[in-house]
Amino acid sequence: MRRASSFEIVAARAWNVLNEGRPFTPVFVAGVFLLCHIGDWGQPAYWSAMAGALGAVLPLFVVYFFYDFPLYLRNYLWLPVVAAVVIWEGTRDVLGLWLAGIGLFFFFTVFFWGTFYYRMRIGTPWNNFARFWKLVLQHSDSTSGNAQEQLPKTMLLLYLLHLTYGWIRGGGAKAADWGTLYVFIAAVWLLAWILHRYLFDWKPKERTESPGTLPRVGEAVSRKVYVLVVDGMRKERFEQANAPFLKKLRAEGTEFTSMETVYPARTVVCFSSMFTGAYPREHGIKSNFVYRLGVRTETIFDSLRKVGKTGRLLGIAHLIDSMGDDVDAITAVMRHDRADAETVEMAKRIVEERNPDLMVVQLIGTDQIGHSRGVFYDDYIEKIEEADRLLENFVGWLSERGLLEEATMIVCADHGQAIGIGGHGHLDEGERFVPFFLAGHGIRRGVRVDAPHSLVSMAPTLAYLLGAPYPDHSRGPVLTEALESFGDRSAAIEKKEGYGSS
């Protein structure tokens, strides 16, 4: 068992510059242009022209940074590429640059990322490229691995860099040429705005509850709460898996069949929302690439401290960016067949040493396999089944030590995964709704709740169970449908609303 080192924590942050689509685009395009002009680096005129070209095209870089084009929106990215070719009459001079950009993109994604990186990090086969290229072409979320988004962005930016670089070095551009360029960039911005204003319509509706509207917190319902998160577990693939322990636990408790993740459905974002009860616009974590460390709202861990209780979150190094010292970061650099097993062993050690009132355990193996090998392969199902066996071992270990007396368990995923490289972020099919159920002390048995709910209900529910004040920006309701103390009231609400609880 090995905790994440300081180097790994910094490296994880650096990797997200290349993993997240928004920072990747400018870094990659500028890098390709520099490499393609490596023979000119010794010329002072090159650097001034290069700086001028980057400055000229900067407004388009900004547009593509703030507007991403996931799912079907990416199809519209080819319109500006075609328009640029028509306006500036041809592609002959830029074909070599385009081919270099396309080649380097697939080298980075398929060989460096999909083969070498995953081999070094989690031990995937050296021939993973044979599968990974298909995943890159199918991927629909706005990461660097979305070929159908990154390629048209790259081609247009390289085209305009090449054009303006030639104008500056040749000294032949007229005011009308620059005017045409900025009218074009303005048109691209307008297209992006229209698409996102009228077609980007799949974000979940936010809950509007506040701590003042939630049930009054009294004495703790539960002595301990254990939250077991199988990162990236797609809902219907969980149903297809042979996971007898988790399914038995679900049958003995309360299941929420329409539990929705938040937008964007990235791991650090989801965990931040789960344990603050707030949405990304409030807690400030809007991607895995974190500019400002730490959430801007109270967390459930802050709430527990107010009543003299403790909580720990055991997970990957990325989570330190939002939850700070409340995270025990275990290294994610180990073979995928050991990652979850070692996480469970580390969880046991934390319980033995600290015995927290709230223990959150993140199993990362399912998510890793979804990203590296794809969701619709046997590898993915096998990781879910392995997680089932390991969680059975952990819960059995807790039971042997009497730690499940008056304890509640919550099992969930932070997000699902879509086709491609286990995509998640923009709520494609398979990402949006996640497995979620509670069992143990204070939980109604054999109940299924079909009413829509959001993962932002995690924090207020934990606060209620543990007798702590609600985090200051909690937006989700307490999941009272699952609580024995609310049983009669919840059943009446479900019947009235037609939620289909059984």
Side-chain angles (χ1 to χ4, degrees), residues 125 168 242 291 315 370 448 485:
I168 294 170
N242 179 25
Y291 303 92
R448 171 183 162 129
S485 57

Side-chain angles (χ1 to χ4, degrees), residues 125-198:
W126 279 113
N127 65 345
N128 201 44
F129 60 86
R131 181 184 295 181
F132 206 78
W133 70 270
K134 293 180 285 186
L135 304 181
V136 169
L137 289 177
Q138 294 170 325
H139 188 44
S140 60
D141 279 317
S142 288
T143 70
S144 55
N146 184 342
Q148 294 183 58
E149 177 177 359
Q150 292 299 330
L151 288 183
K153 282 184 174 181
T154 295
M155 291 171 70
L156 181 60
L157 288 166
L158 286 175
Y159 190 97
L160 296 186
L161 279 177
H162 178 77
L163 185 74
T164 53
Y165 175 80
W167 287 353
I168 294 170
R169 292 216 65 173
K174 301 176 182 178
D177 295 324
W178 293 105
T180 301
L181 173 68
Y182 289 111
V183 168
F184 175 83
I185 292 176
V188 176
W189 170 81
L190 181 61
L191 174 66
W193 182 85
I194 290 172
L195 291 174
H196 287 74
R197 176 66 176 82
Y198 295 104

Side-chain angles (χ1 to χ4, degrees), residues 23 43 65 77 81 90 109 135 170 186 216 266 268 281 324 327 366 394 431 456 474 490:
Q43 304 173 18
F65 186 86
L77 283 169
V81 177
T109 56
L135 304 181
R216 185 179 66 85
R266 305 289 282 158
V268 182
R281 62 179 174 79
V327 176
T366 300
F394 180 58
E431 299 176 46
V456 295
S474 292
S490 297

Side-chain angles (χ1 to χ4, degrees), residues 223-291:
R223 190 164 60 90
K224 304 282 184 184
V225 178
Y226 300 96
V227 180
L228 311 175
V229 184
V230 183
D231 196 301
M233 181 165 65
R234 182 172 169 132
K235 198 168 188 290
E236 82 265 21
R237 296 295 271 166
F238 169 60
E239 298 299 339
Q240 295 164 6
N242 179 25
F245 171 72
L246 291 179
K247 291 177 180 178
K248 180 176 182 290
L249 200 64
R250 178 178 64 180
E252 294 174 348
T254 297
E255 177 190 13
F256 288 82
T257 63
S258 297
M259 183 61 71
E260 193 170 34
T261 189
V262 296
Y263 179 91
R266 305 289 282 158
T267 292
V268 182
V269 180
C270 296
F271 271 77
S272 299
S273 287
M274 283 195 289
F275 298 109
T276 63
Y279 289 97
R281 62 179 174 79
E282 294 178 307
H283 61 61
I285 306 298
K286 298 179 180 179
S287 77
N288 283 352
F289 180 47
V290 177
Y291 303 92

Side-chain angles (χ1 to χ4, degrees), residues 88-106:
W88 287 288
E89 300 179 348
T91 62
R92 183 181 59 185
D93 293 340
V94 80
L95 279 177
L97 194 59
W98 277 358
L99 290 174
I102 294 169
L104 287 169
F105 174 80
F106 281 107

